[in-house]
Amino acid sequence: MNVGIDKMNFFVPPYYVDMTDLAIARDVDPNKFLIGIGQEQMAVSPKSQDIVTFAANAAKQLLTPEDLAAIDMVIVGTETSIDESKASAVVLHRLLGVQPFARSFEIKEACYGATAGVQLAKSHVRANPDSKVLVIASDIARYGLNSGGEPTQGAGAVAMLISRDPRILVLEEQNAMLTQDIYDFWRPVGHQYPLVDGPLSNATYIDSFQKVWKHYQAKYQRSLADFDALAFHIPYTKMGKKALLSILETESESEQARMLASYEESIVYSRKVGNLYTGSLYLGLISLLENASNLSAGNRIGLFSYGSGAVSELFSGILVEGYEAFLNKEAHQELLNNRQKLSIAEYEAMFEDRFDIDQPHTFEDDLPFSITTIEGTIRTYRQ
């Protein structure tokens, strides 16, 4: 039985900052952001939106009444949860109208959480062929104004429906996983922003990819020639490229050119959005599928997932005949093109416009899903 991704969609907030503007404001050469880390724009979230509203907006466009009746599991991968106990998936279950007899929960392991959800969903559908699982990666990457991590911020969500006989990507059974206890990026309880050892995080990412790649090759006797493209976790677009380059040194020039061309297609959207944490790999996958020039049904795509701390996984999928009809390229381009550009002053004001969760608040936002009030720490959402 084939199991995999039947539908995919992403959502980002309707505001962004131009990275040239940010560089000038921070007295940095713009090429450090545009070329050095490979970012052109950065999504910015207002306080009337959170991981629940992102997730709901990403998922709502996917789901038919038949889907809502068949879904028996809702999984949210996130590292920016809004509650230490209650899962955002429980709120989403209600907002989206999923049938009541379902499991709903969150998974946390830095940026790897959504991949854990996808793998669990795949196993669940194999055991329950008539079920469907909604997996959503939703996050807000924030490091603080004038911080070293500021240009690698971002916000948004990616929603995926996992089912049998998928219409986009069949997930294969070949997986290579790696766990290492490393403090490269972490956010202790009570800390507003993450703590990051940048050089260690970059080195651990590349080292993790090399290790799972070698383990995968030895385990399944596959080489780079067996893949038509590789998609990576993208905290910033140059990070995945560095990892890819680390295994291309022994390949022919034509093979290097082939893989690098597909990598550029996978980062089109991330260059305009920034870091989605758990959603970054899957935003890259959507970008690859919607911007590829040489992909077709039957092609194998490798996916590298990485979560600091550190857990990583390399897995793969096969494109399904007619997958193009189930993508949303025009809607995604419209979403990105219709965002409002913020001045640096507007961005900084929005960034610092936070609320005390212990105080009542009322918000005005015309998005289909947004926070309307907070009373007694309970959030009410517009549907």
Side-chain angles (χ1 to χ4, degrees):
M1 178 176 62
N2 289 330
V3 177
I5 300 174
D6 186 59
K7 299 180 182 180
M8 297 185 78
N9 189 46
F10 75 82
F11 176 83
V12 295
Y15 306 99
Y16 75 93
V17 167
D18 184 273
M19 297 302 283
T20 297
D21 293 346
L22 183 63
I24 293 171
R26 301 297 182 250
D27 196 25
V28 171
D29 181 350
N31 285 332
K32 183 176 181 180
F33 294 169
L34 300 176
I35 299 174
I37 63 173
Q39 296 300 138
E40 298 172 3
Q41 299 171 353
M42 181 177 75
V44 179
S45 175
K47 67 180 181 181
S48 59
Q49 297 174 31
D50 61 16
I51 63 167
V52 172
T53 67
F54 296 158
N57 279 296
K60 186 66 174 179
Q61 307 304 316
L62 295 181
L63 304 177
T64 65
E66 292 75 18
D67 293 331
L68 295 171
I71 292 170
D72 62 1
M73 189 180 292
V74 179
I75 305 173
V76 173
T78 187
E79 57 178 285
T80 46
S81 183
I82 59 173
D83 192 281
E84 295 285 3
S85 180
K86 183 175 181 176
S88 57
V90 173
V91 182
L92 279 168
H93 174 276
R94 175 182 61 81
L95 290 176
L96 296 171
V98 175
Q99 62 86 19
F101 300 101
R103 294 189 182 104
S104 299
F105 55 93
E106 285 183 7
I107 293 180
K108 180 189 75 175
E109 190 349 79
C111 299
Y112 173 78
T115 295
V118 167
Q119 299 299 343
L120 176 59
K122 182 179 73 171
S123 297
H124 177 78
V125 173
R126 284 201 175 281
N128 303 272
D130 293 330
S131 72
K132 298 181 180 182
V133 179
L134 179 62
V135 180
I136 306 179
S138 189
D139 270 304
I140 302 174
R142 291 167 60 88
Y143 298 93
L145 300 178
N146 293 286
S147 67
E150 184 182 28
T152 65
Q153 297 177 145
V158 177
M160 296 170 281
L161 189 65
I162 309 299
S163 74
R164 69 174 178 180
D165 300 325
R167 291 172 291 184
I168 296 179
L169 191 73
V170 173
L171 294 171
E172 295 189 288
E173 291 300 308
Q174 291 76 21
N175 302 60
M177 298 80 73
L178 176 71
T179 295
Q180 304 170 101
D181 186 7
I182 299 173
Y183 277 88
D184 59 324
F185 171 107
W186 68 107
R187 183 160 67 93
V189 173
H191 282 242
Q192 184 177 11
Y193 302 123
L195 306 178
V196 186
D197 184 332
L200 177 61
S201 187
N202 291 342
T204 303
Y205 179 109
I206 295 172
D207 178 69
S208 296
F209 174 64
Q210 291 174 337
K211 286 178 178 176
V212 294
W213 173 245
K214 290 177 182 177
H215 183 60
Y216 184 96
Q217 285 183 300
K219 191 175 181 180
Y220 301 112
Q221 290 75 55
R222 284 182 178 168
S223 68
L224 200 59
D226 293 307
F227 293 88
D228 297 282
L230 293 177
F232 288 77
H233 166 56
I234 310 170
Y236 54 91
T237 66
K238 275 299 182 69
M239 187 70 259
K241 187 173 185 178
K242 290 177 182 178
L244 176 59
L245 287 170
S246 75
I247 66 166
L248 290 183
E249 297 173 354
T250 59
E251 302 291 336
S252 67
E253 289 187 7
S254 61
E255 188 73 347
Q256 291 182 35
R258 180 178 73 88
M259 299 307 295
L260 286 170
S262 66
Y263 181 78
E264 291 300 318
E265 293 166 339
S266 76
I267 62 173
V268 172
Y269 295 154
S270 293
R271 287 185 68 89
K272 298 179 181 298
V273 173
N275 194 353
L276 293 194
Y277 282 164
T278 53
S280 293
L281 167 61
Y282 300 100
L283 180 64
L285 175 59
I286 294 175
S287 179
L288 174 65
L289 298 184
E290 294 185 353
N291 295 286
S293 55
N294 293 307
L295 289 181
S296 59
N299 284 174
R300 174 177 289 117
I301 298 175
L303 299 103
F304 174 65
S305 183
Y306 175 80
S308 291
V311 175
S312 52
E313 181 167 352
L314 181 66
F315 59 109
S316 60
I318 303 295
L319 286 174
V320 177
E321 186 71 40
Y323 74 92
E324 301 93 337
F326 300 96
L327 302 176
N328 301 302
K329 183 174 182 177
E330 290 186 6
H332 290 151
Q333 291 180 334
E334 183 178 2
L335 174 68
L336 294 173
N337 292 339
N338 288 344
R339 294 176 300 164
Q340 177 183 337
K341 178 182 174 180
L342 301 175
S343 68
I344 297 303
E346 290 171 328
Y347 151 65
E348 292 179 343
M350 186 175 289
F351 189 97
E352 294 183 321
D353 186 22
R354 300 292 97 190
F355 53 80
D356 182 348
I357 62 172
D358 294 320
Q359 298 297 321
H361 295 272
T362 300
F363 305 94
E364 294 184 5
D365 194 321
D366 58 3
L367 280 175
F369 293 96
S370 58
I371 305 172
T372 55
T373 62
I374 297 180
E375 296 185 21
T377 72
I378 298 175
R379 303 185 184 202
T380 302
Y381 295 91
R382 176 183 292 108
Q383 293 178 252

